[in-house]
Amino acid sequence: MSQIGRPPLTGVRVIDFTRVIAGPFCTQILSDMGAEVIKIENPDGGDDTRKGAGPRAGGPTGESHFFMTYNRGKKSVTVDFTKPDGQKIVHKLLETADVVIQNFRPGVLNRYGLNYDALYEKFPKLIYLSISAYGQTGPLSDRPGYDPVLQGESGMMSVNGEANGEGLRHAIAIVDTMTGIHAVAAINAALYARDATGHGTGKGQHIDLALYDTALACLGNMGSYYLVGGDQPKRAGNSHFASAPNGSFETANGKIYMAVANQKLFVDTCKAMGHPEWATDPRFATIAERVANKPLLNRMMEEVLKTDTKENWAQKFRHLPAGPIRTMKEALDEPEVKRRGMLKTYKHNRVGEVPLIGSNYRFSGTPVDDTRPPPSLGEHTEAVLKEIGFGDAEVEALREKKVIG
């Protein structure tokens, strides 16, 4: 058995200039992995999502659920880096930093000497990741990035939705989310390239990560379908254009989803439904025949599925690719969610206990630490400034000049 150690990124310091989803999701994962993440926020309100609509922990004047979702375990430091004194604070923080991540529009941080080229000479070990809509260079680099717009522009929306309906966006901010995950991968790779014994360069580098590029990379086989065959992939709603039975089916009390992708699975599914003869029916004997006769097959299956509940069918299909379509309450109340430790209760310093979804990473030797709550605005400003050498009088002077909150 592995000896249990500290989280894998213990000792890594991250200076986080990001807001909203993609960047904060990345730095939350880095924090779970043990990095010290210092979130730099505008003293006048902080991250935009602090003001987001929807439920607020602690009531109407409490903390936004949106902000709480993506900022677990960070230190919030309020600094107005548009002022020279604020830039000095950032430079002092960078003396011991390993990573900077920012998602301002290209060129914004150049005005304050906080872009990669301006910092490289003084901080050559710094890994600097920029998230933008369309990359740091090129004719579209000055455009802002909004997840649903990028879903539309990348072609992603064209393959999502009902066959005879319009293209639909994914309800989850999928481009932002995937960009955050790719940002974690890129930063870890850059840390390895810098520090790996024997072949590390010892130098940091700049990583240019674009939401648009990420959306294109996530097209997967749908993109290849067009590139190889020359045709637009067809929307299929909850079904699949090249597989059957594959889709949502009514039961006695709701729907289940089935994704029966090969012949063996179809044979086993027919047996589990009490109709083994379907597997040898000439209309359904091969994938091609099942796709050609999909409406008939779906009707026959649904007649049987309506005779029992989705929970009971889930048990009968335990070892098959099928499961109940749950509401959010049903999903998060599921006992397996608790057994896996995916739900956490955090004690926030301002609003008390807050339930949130925790980390999905499970390391056997260096477990993550997803136990620390999201910060209130500026919660750690004074402590962090004193840690890097600012005295009480200096902190108070910075506060009077509105450099810090």
Side-chain angles (χ1 to χ4, degrees):
M1 183 178 292
S2 300
Q3 184 175 356
I4 301 299
R6 296 182 297 172
L9 293 183
T10 299
V12 172
R13 172 172 275 189
V14 178
I15 308 302
D16 177 10
F17 288 97
T18 66
R19 301 95 65 222
V20 192
I21 297 178
F25 187 42
C26 164
T27 52
Q28 175 168 275
I29 296 172
L30 296 176
S31 173
D32 289 344
M33 291 182 174
E36 178 191 22
V37 176
I38 298 175
K39 184 177 178 73
I40 305 298
E41 298 193 72
N42 185 334
D44 184 19
D47 188 315
D48 295 342
T49 61
R50 288 187 181 275
K51 302 179 283 291
R56 306 185 77 83
T61 61
E63 293 283 350
S64 161
H65 79 283
F66 202 136
F67 177 85
M68 304 284 268
T69 303
Y70 300 107
N71 290 281
R72 175 176 62 239
K74 304 175 189 179
K75 296 178 179 178
S76 173
V77 174
T78 50
V79 178
D80 185 352
F81 58 76
T82 67
K83 298 177 179 178
D85 283 339
Q87 292 154 31
K88 289 177 184 177
I89 292 172
V90 173
H91 275 249
K92 191 70 176 172
L93 286 168
L94 292 176
E95 289 177 4
T96 55
D98 297 282
V99 177
V100 165
I101 175 169
Q102 60 93 3
N103 63 349
F104 288 92
R105 211 177 299 186
V108 169
L109 291 186
N110 298 43
R111 305 170 197 165
Y112 314 112
L114 297 176
N115 54 304
Y116 177 71
D117 289 341
L119 297 174
Y120 175 75
E121 290 299 326
K122 188 173 181 182
F123 308 107
K125 293 186 67 175
L126 196 63
I127 292 158
Y128 189 112
L129 186 140
S130 301
I131 294 175
S132 62
Y134 301 92
Q136 297 299 301
T137 59
L140 300 181
S141 62
D142 63 337
R143 290 188 64 196
Y146 297 96
D147 185 283
V149 175
L150 288 154
Q151 288 190 44
E153 291 184 340
S154 67
M156 189 179 289
M157 200 179 290
S158 76
V159 297
N160 191 38
E162 294 297 334
N164 298 317
E166 66 174 325
L168 297 175
R169 73 174 181 89
H170 198 295
I172 306 299
I174 196 69
V175 178
D176 283 335
T177 300
M178 292 305 300
T179 300
I181 294 169
H182 281 291
V184 173
I187 286 169
N188 277 308
L191 285 168
Y192 184 83
R194 186 190 72 178
D195 299 336
T197 302
H199 63 271
T201 64
K203 296 288 183 70
Q205 57 185 303
H206 182 231
I207 304 166
D208 175 4
L209 195 60
L211 295 165
Y212 187 55
D213 297 345
T214 300
L216 294 170
C218 288
L219 293 177
N221 67 295
M222 290 295 189
S224 300
Y225 185 99
Y226 168 74
L227 292 172
V228 173
D231 296 321
Q232 165 71 25
K234 294 180 175 61
R235 289 191 296 277
N238 278 342
S239 186
H240 193 286
F241 65 88
S243 179
N246 195 318
S248 57
F249 295 84
E250 289 285 356
T251 71
N253 67 336
K255 292 188 176 184
I256 62 169
Y257 196 94
M258 306 183 75
V260 183
N262 63 43
Q263 194 65 25
K264 182 181 185 306
L265 289 172
F266 182 62
V267 171
D268 292 344
T269 299
C270 294
K271 289 178 181 177
M273 293 184 69
H275 287 276
E277 74 278 6
W278 289 350
T280 55
D281 188 315
R283 297 168 297 180
F284 313 131
T286 67
I287 291 177
E289 287 159 343
R290 289 196 290 278
V291 170
N293 293 289
K294 185 185 297 187
L296 174 61
L297 177 61
N298 286 358
R299 283 198 302 273
M300 291 169 61
M301 292 182 66
E302 207 158 62
E303 285 177 8
V304 176
L305 291 167
K306 285 180 179 178
T307 64
D308 208 341
T309 66
K310 62 183 180 180
E311 293 81 13
N312 286 342
W313 282 117
Q315 286 301 313
K316 294 174 185 178
F317 295 146
R318 179 180 174 84
H319 300 294
L320 294 168
I325 297 176
R326 295 171 173 145
T327 64
M328 201 64 70
K329 174 177 171 50
E330 290 171 333
L332 296 181
D333 285 350
E334 176 64 24
E336 188 64 14
V337 176
K338 296 178 177 64
R339 282 195 291 267
R340 293 291 296 171
M342 285 301 298
L343 295 185
K344 306 282 185 184
T345 299
Y346 297 91
K347 186 160 186 177
H348 189 270
N349 77 319
R350 195 169 77 83
V351 299
E353 291 191 345
V354 182
L356 294 170
I357 296 171
S359 173
N360 58 316
Y361 291 95
R362 302 289 181 269
F363 292 85
S364 65
T366 55
V368 300
D369 178 10
D370 62 348
T371 62
R372 294 161 294 151
S376 56
L377 181 61
E379 179 180 345
H380 304 93
T381 303
E382 189 167 327
V384 169
L385 263 59
K386 287 181 178 179
E387 179 194 328
I388 59 176
F390 288 84
D392 291 341
E394 292 174 292
V395 170
E396 188 55 38
L398 289 166
R399 188 170 283 120
E400 288 178 3
K401 291 192 285 186
K402 300 189 184 307
V403 175
I404 63 173

